[in-house]
PDB file of all heavy atoms in Angstrom:
ATOM      1  N   ASP A   7      21.916  -9.721   3.894  1.00  0.00           N
ATOM      2  CA  ASP A   7      21.447  -8.467   4.463  1.00  0.00           C
ATOM      3  C   ASP A   7      20.955  -7.582   3.328  1.00  0.00           C
ATOM      4  O   ASP A   7      21.385  -7.728   2.172  1.00  0.00           O
ATOM      5  CB  ASP A   7      22.574  -7.766   5.229  1.00  0.00           C
ATOM      6  CG  ASP A   7      22.913  -8.473   6.538  1.00  0.00           C
ATOM      7  OD1 ASP A   7      22.054  -9.201   7.076  1.00  0.00           O
ATOM      8  OD2 ASP A   7      24.053  -8.295   7.019  1.00  0.00           O
ATOM      9  N   LEU A  32       1.152  -2.650 -18.225  1.00  0.00           N
ATOM     10  CA  LEU A  32       0.254  -1.682 -17.590  1.00  0.00           C
ATOM     11  C   LEU A  32       0.765  -1.239 -16.228  1.00  0.00           C
ATOM     12  O   LEU A  32       0.528  -0.101 -15.813  1.00  0.00           O
ATOM     13  CB  LEU A  32      -1.149  -2.276 -17.478  1.00  0.00           C
ATOM     14  CG  LEU A  32      -1.794  -2.697 -18.805  1.00  0.00           C
ATOM     15  CD1 LEU A  32      -3.159  -3.329 -18.554  1.00  0.00           C
ATOM     16  CD2 LEU A  32      -1.895  -1.522 -19.762  1.00  0.00           C
ATOM     17  N   GLY A  38       8.255  -8.329  -2.957  1.00  0.00           N
ATOM     18  CA  GLY A  38       9.100  -9.304  -2.290  1.00  0.00           C
ATOM     19  C   GLY A  38      10.091  -8.633  -1.351  1.00  0.00           C
ATOM     20  O   GLY A  38      10.130  -7.413  -1.205  1.00  0.00           O
ATOM     21  N   LEU A  45      15.340  -5.231   5.106  1.00  0.00           N
ATOM     22  CA  LEU A  45      14.927  -6.632   5.247  1.00  0.00           C
ATOM     23  C   LEU A  45      15.918  -7.557   4.549  1.00  0.00           C
ATOM     24  O   LEU A  45      16.246  -7.360   3.379  1.00  0.00           O
ATOM     25  CB  LEU A  45      13.529  -6.819   4.647  1.00  0.00           C
ATOM     26  CG  LEU A  45      12.897  -8.208   4.739  1.00  0.00           C
ATOM     27  CD1 LEU A  45      12.734  -8.644   6.198  1.00  0.00           C
ATOM     28  CD2 LEU A  45      11.537  -8.209   4.038  1.00  0.00           C
ATOM     29  N   GLU A  63      -0.420 -15.095 -23.803  1.00  0.00           N
ATOM     30  CA  GLU A  63       1.032 -15.137 -23.717  1.00  0.00           C
ATOM     31  C   GLU A  63       1.721 -14.640 -24.984  1.00  0.00           C
ATOM     32  O   GLU A  63       2.830 -14.099 -24.921  1.00  0.00           O
ATOM     33  CB  GLU A  63       1.497 -16.554 -23.386  1.00  0.00           C
ATOM     34  CG  GLU A  63       1.041 -17.027 -22.026  1.00  0.00           C
ATOM     35  CD  GLU A  63       1.330 -18.496 -21.758  1.00  0.00           C
ATOM     36  OE1 GLU A  63       2.071 -19.131 -22.554  1.00  0.00           O
ATOM     37  OE2 GLU A  63       0.807 -19.018 -20.749  1.00  0.00           O
ATOM     38  N   GLU A 108      -4.239 -10.345  -6.369  1.00  0.00           N
ATOM     39  CA  GLU A 108      -2.936 -10.747  -5.836  1.00  0.00           C
ATOM     40  C   GLU A 108      -1.900  -9.629  -5.986  1.00  0.00           C
ATOM     41  O   GLU A 108      -1.004  -9.493  -5.154  1.00  0.00           O
ATOM     42  CB  GLU A 108      -2.443 -12.028  -6.510  1.00  0.00           C
ATOM     43  CG  GLU A 108      -1.168 -12.579  -5.911  1.00  0.00           C
ATOM     44  CD  GLU A 108      -1.255 -12.956  -4.429  1.00  0.00           C
ATOM     45  OE1 GLU A 108      -2.376 -13.127  -3.888  1.00  0.00           O
ATOM     46  OE2 GLU A 108      -0.184 -13.084  -3.798  1.00  0.00           O
ATOM     47  N   ASP A 125       6.918  -5.296  12.352  1.00  0.00           N
ATOM     48  CA  ASP A 125       6.488  -6.438  11.534  1.00  0.00           C
ATOM     49  C   ASP A 125       7.573  -6.863  10.550  1.00  0.00           C
ATOM     50  O   ASP A 125       7.727  -8.052  10.261  1.00  0.00           O
ATOM     51  CB  ASP A 125       5.184  -6.120  10.811  1.00  0.00           C
ATOM     52  CG  ASP A 125       3.982  -6.277  11.724  1.00  0.00           C
ATOM     53  OD1 ASP A 125       4.051  -7.052  12.704  1.00  0.00           O
ATOM     54  OD2 ASP A 125       2.952  -5.620  11.469  1.00  0.00           O
ATOM     55  N   LEU A 128       9.801  -8.954  12.656  1.00  0.00           N
ATOM     56  CA  LEU A 128       9.155 -10.240  12.910  1.00  0.00           C
ATOM     57  C   LEU A 128       9.301 -11.159  11.700  1.00  0.00           C
ATOM     58  O   LEU A 128       9.658 -12.334  11.834  1.00  0.00           O
ATOM     59  CB  LEU A 128       7.669 -10.026  13.237  1.00  0.00           C
ATOM     60  CG  LEU A 128       6.803 -11.288  13.320  1.00  0.00           C
ATOM     61  CD1 LEU A 128       7.223 -12.156  14.500  1.00  0.00           C
ATOM     62  CD2 LEU A 128       5.323 -10.900  13.413  1.00  0.00           C
ATOM     63  N   TYR A 129       9.028 -10.624  10.536  1.00  0.00           N
ATOM     64  CA  TYR A 129       9.138 -11.398   9.299  1.00  0.00           C
ATOM     65  C   TYR A 129      10.587 -11.844   9.074  1.00  0.00           C
ATOM     66  O   TYR A 129      10.850 -13.006   8.732  1.00  0.00           O
ATOM     67  CB  TYR A 129       8.619 -10.561   8.134  1.00  0.00           C
ATOM     68  CG  TYR A 129       8.571 -11.270   6.808  1.00  0.00           C
ATOM     69  CD1 TYR A 129       8.044 -12.550   6.686  1.00  0.00           C
ATOM     70  CD2 TYR A 129       9.043 -10.653   5.655  1.00  0.00           C
ATOM     71  CE1 TYR A 129       7.986 -13.196   5.463  1.00  0.00           C
ATOM     72  CE2 TYR A 129       8.987 -11.285   4.427  1.00  0.00           C
ATOM     73  CZ  TYR A 129       8.471 -12.559   4.334  1.00  0.00           C
ATOM     74  OH  TYR A 129       8.427 -13.187   3.114  1.00  0.00           O
ATOM     75  N   ARG A 131      12.948 -12.323  11.324  1.00  0.00           N
ATOM     76  CA  ARG A 131      13.292 -13.376  12.286  1.00  0.00           C
ATOM     77  C   ARG A 131      12.752 -14.726  11.824  1.00  0.00           C
ATOM     78  O   ARG A 131      13.452 -15.743  11.902  1.00  0.00           O
ATOM     79  CB  ARG A 131      12.766 -13.036  13.685  1.00  0.00           C
ATOM     80  CG  ARG A 131      13.578 -11.963  14.397  1.00  0.00           C
ATOM     81  CD  ARG A 131      13.199 -11.832  15.868  1.00  0.00           C
ATOM     82  NE  ARG A 131      11.787 -11.600  16.109  1.00  0.00           N
ATOM     83  CZ  ARG A 131      11.204 -10.410  16.111  1.00  0.00           C
ATOM     84  NH1 ARG A 131      11.906  -9.309  15.869  1.00  0.00           N
ATOM     85  NH2 ARG A 131       9.908 -10.296  16.370  1.00  0.00           N
ATOM     86  N   VAL A 144      13.419 -24.755  -2.887  1.00  0.00           N
ATOM     87  CA  VAL A 144      13.205 -23.395  -2.404  1.00  0.00           C
ATOM     88  C   VAL A 144      11.726 -23.126  -2.141  1.00  0.00           C
ATOM     89  O   VAL A 144      11.380 -22.415  -1.195  1.00  0.00           O
ATOM     90  CB  VAL A 144      13.783 -22.376  -3.417  1.00  0.00           C
ATOM     91  CG1 VAL A 144      13.464 -20.946  -2.999  1.00  0.00           C
ATOM     92  CG2 VAL A 144      15.286 -22.552  -3.536  1.00  0.00           C
ATOM     93  N   ASP A 149       6.853 -21.666   1.101  1.00  0.00           N
ATOM     94  CA  ASP A 149       5.580 -22.091   1.681  1.00  0.00           C
ATOM     95  C   ASP A 149       5.601 -21.998   3.207  1.00  0.00           C
ATOM     96  O   ASP A 149       4.609 -21.625   3.831  1.00  0.00           O
ATOM     97  CB  ASP A 149       5.237 -23.516   1.249  1.00  0.00           C
ATOM     98  CG  ASP A 149       4.911 -23.637  -0.234  1.00  0.00           C
ATOM     99  OD1 ASP A 149       4.639 -22.607  -0.889  1.00  0.00           O
ATOM    100  OD2 ASP A 149       4.958 -24.777  -0.743  1.00  0.00           O
ATOM    101  N   ARG A 160      -3.487 -10.961   8.639  1.00  0.00           N
ATOM    102  CA  ARG A 160      -4.722 -11.043   9.436  1.00  0.00           C
ATOM    103  C   ARG A 160      -4.782  -9.916  10.475  1.00  0.00           C
ATOM    104  O   ARG A 160      -5.787  -9.253  10.643  1.00  0.00           O
ATOM    105  CB  ARG A 160      -4.816 -12.396  10.153  1.00  0.00           C
ATOM    106  CG  ARG A 160      -5.518 -13.476   9.382  1.00  0.00           C
ATOM    107  CD  ARG A 160      -5.823 -14.688  10.264  1.00  0.00           C
ATOM    108  NE  ARG A 160      -4.689 -15.180  11.020  1.00  0.00           N
ATOM    109  CZ  ARG A 160      -3.765 -16.029  10.534  1.00  0.00           C
ATOM    110  NH1 ARG A 160      -3.869 -16.472   9.310  1.00  0.00           N
ATOM    111  NH2 ARG A 160      -2.770 -16.438  11.301  1.00  0.00           N
ATOM    112  N   ARG A 161      -3.677  -9.734  11.163  1.00  0.00           N
ATOM    113  CA  ARG A 161      -3.615  -8.748  12.228  1.00  0.00           C
ATOM    114  C   ARG A 161      -3.874  -7.336  11.719  1.00  0.00           C
ATOM    115  O   ARG A 161      -4.480  -6.520  12.397  1.00  0.00           O
ATOM    116  CB  ARG A 161      -2.265  -8.824  12.928  1.00  0.00           C
ATOM    117  CG  ARG A 161      -2.164  -7.996  14.166  1.00  0.00           C
ATOM    118  CD  ARG A 161      -0.968  -8.313  15.042  1.00  0.00           C
ATOM    119  NE  ARG A 161       0.186  -8.871  14.370  1.00  0.00           N
ATOM    120  CZ  ARG A 161       1.113  -8.164  13.707  1.00  0.00           C
ATOM    121  NH1 ARG A 161       0.987  -6.868  13.603  1.00  0.00           N
ATOM    122  NH2 ARG A 161       2.147  -8.752  13.153  1.00  0.00           N
ATOM    123  N   VAL A 162      -3.445  -7.043  10.500  1.00  0.00           N
ATOM    124  CA  VAL A 162      -3.602  -5.677   9.966  1.00  0.00           C
ATOM    125  C   VAL A 162      -4.778  -5.564   9.004  1.00  0.00           C
ATOM    126  O   VAL A 162      -4.975  -4.508   8.390  1.00  0.00           O
ATOM    127  CB  VAL A 162      -2.290  -5.172   9.316  1.00  0.00           C
ATOM    128  CG1 VAL A 162      -1.174  -5.178  10.335  1.00  0.00           C
ATOM    129  CG2 VAL A 162      -1.915  -5.962   8.084  1.00  0.00           C
TER     130      VAL A 162
END
Side-chain angles (χ1 to χ4, degrees):
D7 288 337
L32 301 177
L45 182 60
E63 296 172 10
E108 186 60 18
D125 280 335
L128 171 66
Y129 185 46
R131 285 191 305 274
V144 175
D149 292 343
R160 270 192 310 276
R161 189 166 27 82
V162 301

